[in-house]
Amino acid sequence: MKERLTVFRAVFTRELIMMQRYLVNSISGVVTLYIVFMLLFVGARAVTGGGLVMGATTMEGLVVGYLVWMFAMMGYQELAWGIINEAQVGTLEKLYLTPVGFRWVNGFAQLSQLAVNLTLLGLVFALILLTTGVALQVDIISVVPLLLITATSAYGLGFALAGLALIHKRIQAAFQIVQFIMVAFIAAPSDAWGRLLPLNLGHRLLTSAMVDGTRIWALPPGSLLTAVLVGAGYLGLGLLVMERCERQARDRGLLGHY
Amino acid sequence: MASPVPALEVAGLTKTFTSRKKPPVHAVRNISFTVQQREVVGLLGPNGAGKTTTIKCILGLMLPSAGTVRVMGNDLGREYRQLVRSACAVLEGSRNIYWRMTPRENLDFFTGLYGIPLQRSRPYTDHLLRVFRLEEKRLSQVQELSSGMKQKVAVACALAPRTPLVFLDEPTVGLDVETSYELRETLKGLVKEEGRTIIVSSHDMAVIQDLCRRVIIIKQGSIIVDDQVENLLQLFRTRAYRFTLSNGHDVHLEGAVARQFPGASISRTADRTELEVILPGAEDLYRFVDLVRESGLFIAGINQKEPDLEEAFLQLVRKEAQA
Ligand SMILES: Nc1ncnc2c1ncn2[C@@H]1O[C@H](COP(=O)(O)OP(=O)(O)OP(=O)(O)O)[C@@H](O)[C@H]1O
Ligand SMILES: [Mg+2]
């Protein structure tokens, strides 16, 4: 336990240092996300007068959809690219040399990154609200847990793709595509099947919380539970794929041979 | 008193890489050896011999196809976490450390990864920064350092968790003579001072001869020699000769010597020819002398040459190839 805490501290410190070193990248990332949104926003207003982008029928809906997409994408990207980058530069193998196991190291890294992502997300979100005049309910107690529940499925995708890319380098090409497929997941109708897609139901619940002002405990419990289970399901599946790929990679000696 | 547990026990280690498209690669074939605590062992072998594969299998970074590995008594399969607590490494051909972090930050991170809190690791990592002469650069990002310094940081990070067993896979690769020497000297000092068990793989014989008392030579996945360096040198001491031939040069003789005595080196001065040859048996000596006699040159002097490990290594690997 104490050992894990020490490892967590080490990993968290590393993330903070890296964030500082890549500050310019972080800032330009925030700016890009903001600009992309503004283009969407202006475009949506010009074309439809209302919305209908990313499956949203209102400007408020558009903002929530974008928020979910940003958060999912940040976590997913960090995870998938993070592992592949470390394999490329040759630090990945060293992360296996720890008495607590690589899984914990990676888990701690994602956890630390999550904190960073939430901060960046908050920044873009605030910028968007300020400049577009869109009004949303930002009840942190409801919004943050819902965001987390929604994003777990994106983490599942991240684990699965990172694992596959360890074995087949070409999978990297799919990294970008998945980001756009996520838009489709968010926009798909939340019918009996649609709600089983990653991000879909969580997004719906978040819309309900942010547009209609429903508190998290007032949401339909069945839907909330489904969203949690769907997230956990994708995460579990992703971890399983990662685990199997990692074994393959160790068998074929690919951890350090990127 | 019971004898202490060996630092490393490898038995029947085998690694075959299989893939659908290519034929299987037998990288390591049934290797067994034991390393006692405080031993410093050199791992030698031509490119592709299986040194790196052996090291990575021991550390669990590759899955062995067969065999057992124990580090400080901990079994690779069943007690992996304990095993990792006892071993650290500089791995070949990769960065090993974060170039965007400073030496100080890297040391703190990699000791933290072993579950060692800062207040316990700092005194020793400070010491490492000092002995590797990195103090001045401890706050610069690694990417700004020379390749020698980068390598020193990587080695320091592997030593920092103070594991009883340390693997150094080609720690001096790509370094110039002087930097390699400096790194070697530092390592030598640390080895003497700390009494850790170290396994070094290198193509640089000076590194091995400097640091190790024992060498294991691997070729095509099998151990061909496992002996004390001193014994190997002794073996070749009696067989390495330097002949000085007077009366000019003879291209024909030089060609014949080069063909018949692999590894012979030939040099010319004004009117003399210097030949360094290894003559394993008495009949080789006669054969050599006959060749010289036919050429019409005179043997002006014979010295027994002080052999070095490089020569011993080349001879052993070549002999194995002929057999
Ligand atoms: N991941 C891998 N997949 C397939 N074959 C591999 C892999 N890694 C190594 N090999 C093969 O296994 C053999 C042993 O390689 P290894 O890297 O262990 O040799 P080495 O002794 O460390 O050589 P070097 O001195 O060049 O570092 C070689 O034939 C190599 O091509
Ligand atoms: Mg090697």
Side-chain angles (χ1 to χ4, degrees):
Chain A
M1 190 58 223
K2 229 178 126 210
E3 204 168 43
R4 287 205 186 124
L5 213 63
T6 307
V7 175
F8 178 75
R9 268 188 61 166
V11 172
F12 186 70
T13 311
R14 182 194 67 178
E15 294 300 325
L16 285 186
I17 293 167
M18 288 301 193
M19 193 189 63
Q20 278 171 34
R21 304 284 142 85
Y22 289 98
L23 198 60
V24 178
N25 297 40
S26 304
I27 291 173
S28 70
V30 168
V31 171
T32 310
L33 283 172
Y34 174 68
I35 291 174
V36 168
F37 179 80
M38 288 316 278
L39 290 175
L40 271 179
F41 184 78
V42 172
R45 197 147 59 181
V47 175
T48 66
L52 262 184
V53 179
M54 295 178 82
T57 47
T58 60
M59 285 303 172
E60 286 76 19
L62 181 62
V63 176
V64 178
Y66 196 68
L67 187 70
V68 169
W69 180 73
M70 277 195 298
F71 190 57
M73 195 200 59
M74 282 173 168
Y76 158 83
Q77 270 193 334
E78 189 57 41
L79 179 53
W81 286 115
I83 290 180
I84 294 309
N85 272 343
E86 297 229 25
Q88 260 161 0
V89 301
T91 41
L92 185 65
E93 279 182 313
K94 294 281 302 224
L95 300 185
Y96 281 80
L97 297 181
T98 166
V100 304
F102 172 73
R103 244 171 288 170
W104 284 90
V105 173
N106 191 30
F108 290 156
Q110 300 316 319
L111 217 61
S112 316
Q113 197 62 44
L114 195 70
V116 174
N117 290 352
L118 274 174
T119 314
L120 294 179
L121 190 77
L123 218 67
V124 184
F125 184 59
L127 262 177
I128 288 176
L129 289 193
L130 281 176
T131 47
T132 59
V134 168
L136 284 171
Q137 310 281 334
V138 194
D139 164 26
I140 302 278
I141 298 177
S142 300
V143 170
V144 173
L146 281 173
L147 264 177
L148 293 180
I149 291 169
T150 311
T152 40
S153 46
Y155 278 90
L157 289 175
F159 277 116
L161 275 141
L164 290 171
L166 270 182
I167 302 181
H168 307 285
K169 280 185 211 179
R170 294 219 194 104
I171 299 282
Q172 269 188 58
F175 281 12
Q176 299 273 346
I177 300 167
V178 170
Q179 288 171 31
F180 294 103
I181 296 179
M182 283 201 242
V183 177
F185 289 152
I186 294 171
S190 301
D191 52 22
W193 292 108
R195 54 172 48 199
L196 298 183
L197 290 172
L199 308 176
N200 186 284
L201 186 57
H203 164 240
R204 210 62 52 186
L205 296 176
L206 204 61
T207 307
S208 182
M210 295 183 79
V211 179
D212 311 330
T214 318
R215 313 296 296 264
I216 189 167
W217 49 87
L219 290 168
S223 298
L224 199 57
L225 186 68
T226 311
V228 170
L229 290 180
V230 167
Y234 282 108
L235 185 63
L237 212 66
L239 285 171
L240 203 73
V241 172
M242 173 84 191
E243 190 104 330
R244 299 203 54 164
C245 290
E246 189 192 297
R247 210 188 144 74
Q248 268 261 330
R250 285 204 297 151
D251 187 40
R252 287 164 52 184
L254 300 174
L255 288 181
H257 250 268
Y258 210 74
Chain B
M1 210 181 88
S3 59
V5 58
L8 175 64
E9 296 166 271
V10 175
L13 185 70
T14 300
K15 178 66 190 175
T16 307
F17 292 105
T18 50
S19 75
R20 255 167 283 141
K21 284 169 221 147
K22 285 173 253 168
V25 178
H26 300 280
V28 174
R29 306 164 194 245
N30 196 16
I31 278 186
S32 304
F33 61 95
T34 300
V35 178
Q36 301 302 333
Q37 287 184 42
R38 308 174 77 91
E39 263 194 297
V40 180
V41 179
L43 210 51
L44 289 181
N47 287 123
K51 305 177 295 289
T52 299
T53 306
T54 302
I55 291 173
K56 289 194 176 175
C57 282
I58 293 170
L59 290 169
L61 299 173
M62 288 181 184
L63 293 178
S65 310
T68 56
V69 171
R70 283 169 170 279
V71 174
M72 302 299 288
N74 303 298
D75 183 82
L76 172 65
R78 283 177 287 119
E79 293 145 313
Y80 185 61
R81 306 233 153 140
Q82 276 310 116
L83 181 145
V84 169
R85 265 190 203 98
S86 324
C88 199
V90 174
L91 301 168
E92 175 208 358
S94 61
R95 286 190 190 173
N96 285 288
I97 47 171
Y98 293 98
W99 282 16
R100 290 300 291 260
M101 304 207 301
T102 67
R104 174 83 269 164
E105 290 161 351
N106 270 293
L107 285 164
D108 288 349
F109 175 73
F110 285 106
T111 46
L113 210 54
Y114 270 74
I116 306 165
L118 277 188
Q119 66 269 26
R120 266 208 293 133
S121 67
R122 273 290 172 89
Y124 184 62
T125 51
D126 283 340
H127 171 66
L128 285 176
L129 284 172
R130 250 192 323 275
V131 297
F132 280 103
R133 299 208 217 155
L134 290 163
E135 265 184 318
E136 222 173 279
K137 299 281 184 187
R138 70 187 187 283
L139 302 178
S140 314
Q141 287 182 32
V142 170
Q143 61 179 354
E144 295 155 10
L145 306 184
S146 68
S147 54
M149 283 196 174
K150 285 187 179 111
Q151 197 57 20
K152 285 195 216 163
V153 179
V155 172
C157 284
L159 294 171
R162 309 191 83 158
T163 55
L165 178 61
V166 180
F167 291 91
L168 304 173
D169 197 354
E170 307 206 8
T172 57
V173 72
L175 303 187
D176 65 36
V177 180
E178 202 169 329
T179 316
S180 162
Y181 177 77
E182 196 193 320
L183 179 59
R184 227 154 65 211
E185 287 299 303
T186 311
L187 274 173
K188 211 156 83 179
L190 283 170
V191 162
K192 217 176 192 169
E193 199 175 295
E194 301 181 348
R196 284 205 249 180
T197 313
I198 297 194
I199 295 178
V200 201
S201 123
S202 181
H203 290 291
D204 183 352
M205 292 303 153
V207 172
I208 304 286
Q209 205 164 357
D210 249 19
L211 293 173
C212 310
R213 306 251 328 252
R214 170 182 166 198
V215 289
I216 294 175
I217 303 181
I218 300 182
K219 201 185 161 202
Q220 289 172 1
S222 303
I223 293 181
I224 57 171
V225 174
D226 179 350
D227 207 343
Q228 302 296 313
V229 173
E230 191 42 46
N231 292 347
L232 290 183
L233 294 180
Q234 196 59 44
L235 193 66
F236 285 90
R237 181 160 291 133
T238 47
R239 301 177 184 172
Y241 299 91
R242 171 184 282 137
F243 289 86
T244 308
L245 308 181
S246 62
N247 222 7
H249 314 294
D250 182 352
V251 183
H252 180 71
L253 170 68
E254 288 168 16
V257 168
R259 259 194 317 282
Q260 294 183 31
F261 300 94
S265 85
I266 300 162
S267 60
R268 292 173 172 182
T269 55
D271 63 342
R272 286 166 179 250
T273 307
E274 299 264 352
L275 287 170
E276 287 178 7
V277 278
I278 295 194
L279 305 172
E283 69 279 11
D284 299 301
L285 179 60
Y286 297 136
R287 199 153 49 90
F288 180 79
V289 173
D290 280 343
L291 269 180
V292 175
R293 198 183 301 138
E294 280 164 28
S295 75
L297 301 188
F298 296 113
I299 297 177
I302 307 178
N303 284 315
Q304 254 193 350
K305 208 183 137 279
E306 197 57 36
D308 62 13
L309 189 58
E310 182 143 4
E311 239 161 279
F313 169 72
L314 286 173
Q315 288 297 317
L316 286 164
V317 170
R318 286 209 184 100
K319 193 177 89 196
E320 198 62 25
Q322 287 161 0

